[in-house]
Amino acid sequence: MIKLSPSILSANFVRLEEELKILENEGIQYVHIDVMDGMFVPNISIGMPVIKSIRKTTNMVLDSHFMIEKPERYIDEFIALGCDIINFHFEATDKHMEIIKKIKEANKKVGMTIKPNTSYEKILPYIKYLDLVLVMSVEPGFGGQKFMENSLDKISALRKYIDENNLNCELEVDGGIKIDNVDKVLQAGANVIVVGSDIFEKEDKASIIKQYNELFEKF
Ligand code: DX5
Ligand code: ZN
């Protein structure tokens, strides 16, 4: 099943509860939360207190995307905050198995994320332990960037690998996705679609979400 995971990076943070309610009313299951540390990526976004407040406000699946250097320093905290899916970057650590193990032991879902210049083969040794693979289709750090077409081959190759090996692993894509290019990402085989600016910069957020969901139903 294809799921939309709206990225709140482009939300209006003083009205976050209202914006989360719009997502819930449209039947959204996943909400994508981008955490940036100003080191792994040049931007700083939101952190622990905001996630804590979001957790109290919604039962949607918190699809957290940690763009931080050495994520192993914070795994216990992310778990305690109530993140349901914890995505960490392949490039940010050399403690991959340690992190995966910790997240699984806490009965949370673990995702590994790759930047545009990281080849998909790098994560294959870990993929059988993962609940999700997140392919970045922009350089991580900012919302509103242009979709990188060369991510499509990577998505197709991962879809093929996941299916051929019968893995229970979701395939998520993040960055530059809009209503008029999402079909390419779906065709390549992604099943969790992150959309930030194309939802939150629209006046009528419910209507754009409906358009995505209608498109997903046809796939
Ligand atoms: C970028 C973030 C994305 C971002 C996507 O580093 O990981 O989740 O919010 O935003 P759009 O959809 O505007 O590219
Ligand atoms: Zn993200």
Side-chain angles (χ1 to χ4, degrees):
M1 193 198 149
I2 300 161
K3 300 181 197 97
L4 190 62
S5 189
S7 161
I8 59 161
L9 189 61
S10 297
N12 179 346
F13 284 97
V14 291
R15 294 174 182 231
L16 195 51
E17 185 166 16
E18 270 170 55
E19 308 224 319
L20 291 171
K21 284 280 170 288
I22 297 173
L23 306 184
E24 281 175 3
N25 289 341
E26 293 310 314
I28 292 290
Q29 298 172 37
Y30 284 14
V31 59
H32 187 86
I33 304 177
D34 290 299
V35 179
M36 305 178 184
D37 67 350
M39 292 289 285
F40 182 72
V41 290
N43 197 8
I44 299 177
S45 57
I46 57 166
M48 317 315 189
V50 179
I51 300 182
K52 201 171 162 195
S53 303
I54 296 172
R55 180 70 296 167
K56 282 190 200 148
T57 310
T58 183
N59 287 322
M60 284 185 286
V61 172
L62 304 189
D63 171 29
S64 55
H65 175 195
F66 289 95
M67 287 159 270
I68 63 172
E69 206 55 62
K70 296 197 182 6
E72 59 271 21
R73 294 173 297 154
Y74 295 106
I75 297 297
D76 290 328
E77 271 189 78
F78 302 155
I79 292 167
L81 282 167
C83 297
D84 301 291
I85 304 172
I86 299 175
N87 287 296
F88 67 98
H89 268 266
F90 168 80
E91 306 86 356
T93 181
D94 54 11
K95 306 250 180 327
H96 304 94
M97 274 320 292
E98 189 185 301
I99 294 173
I100 291 170
K101 221 172 144 240
K102 211 167 204 182
I103 298 172
K104 300 290 270 186
E105 275 169 12
N107 282 321
K108 303 288 185 183
K109 290 194 169 171
V110 57
M112 202 183 274
T113 309
I114 45 174
K115 297 209 282 185
N117 291 332
T118 303
S119 74
Y120 78 93
E121 284 97 342
K122 289 260 166 62
I123 58 169
L124 296 184
Y126 307 102
I127 197 165
K128 61 172 181 284
Y129 308 110
L130 301 174
D131 298 293
L132 187 148
V133 169
L134 172 55
V135 174
M136 291 307 298
S137 44
V138 296
E139 276 306 326
F142 300 92
Q145 302 182 76
K146 195 173 176 298
F147 180 79
M148 293 168 79
E149 299 279 333
N150 58 8
S151 63
L152 292 170
D153 286 347
K154 210 188 271 188
I155 301 163
S156 306
L158 280 162
R159 167 53 60 208
K160 191 163 175 265
Y161 188 92
I162 289 168
D163 289 351
E164 281 177 1
N165 292 282
N166 259 319
L167 299 174
N168 192 11
C169 181
E170 298 205 275
L171 183 51
E172 180 170 28
V173 182
D174 181 8
I177 300 176
K178 312 269 176 217
I179 194 72
D180 51 16
N181 67 8
V182 66
D183 55 322
K184 293 187 211 173
V185 181
L186 297 172
Q187 250 143 29
N191 79 300
V192 182
I193 311 295
V194 178
V195 180
S197 49
D198 199 39
I199 291 174
F200 288 101
E201 285 175 9
K202 293 263 170 25
E203 200 62 53
D204 189 346
K205 296 165 187 70
S207 145
I208 182 80
I209 291 170
K210 283 192 176 83
Q211 288 179 52
Y212 276 99
N213 283 335
E214 275 165 25
L215 231 157
F216 292 177
E217 272 165 31
K218 290 186 200 141
F219 261 81

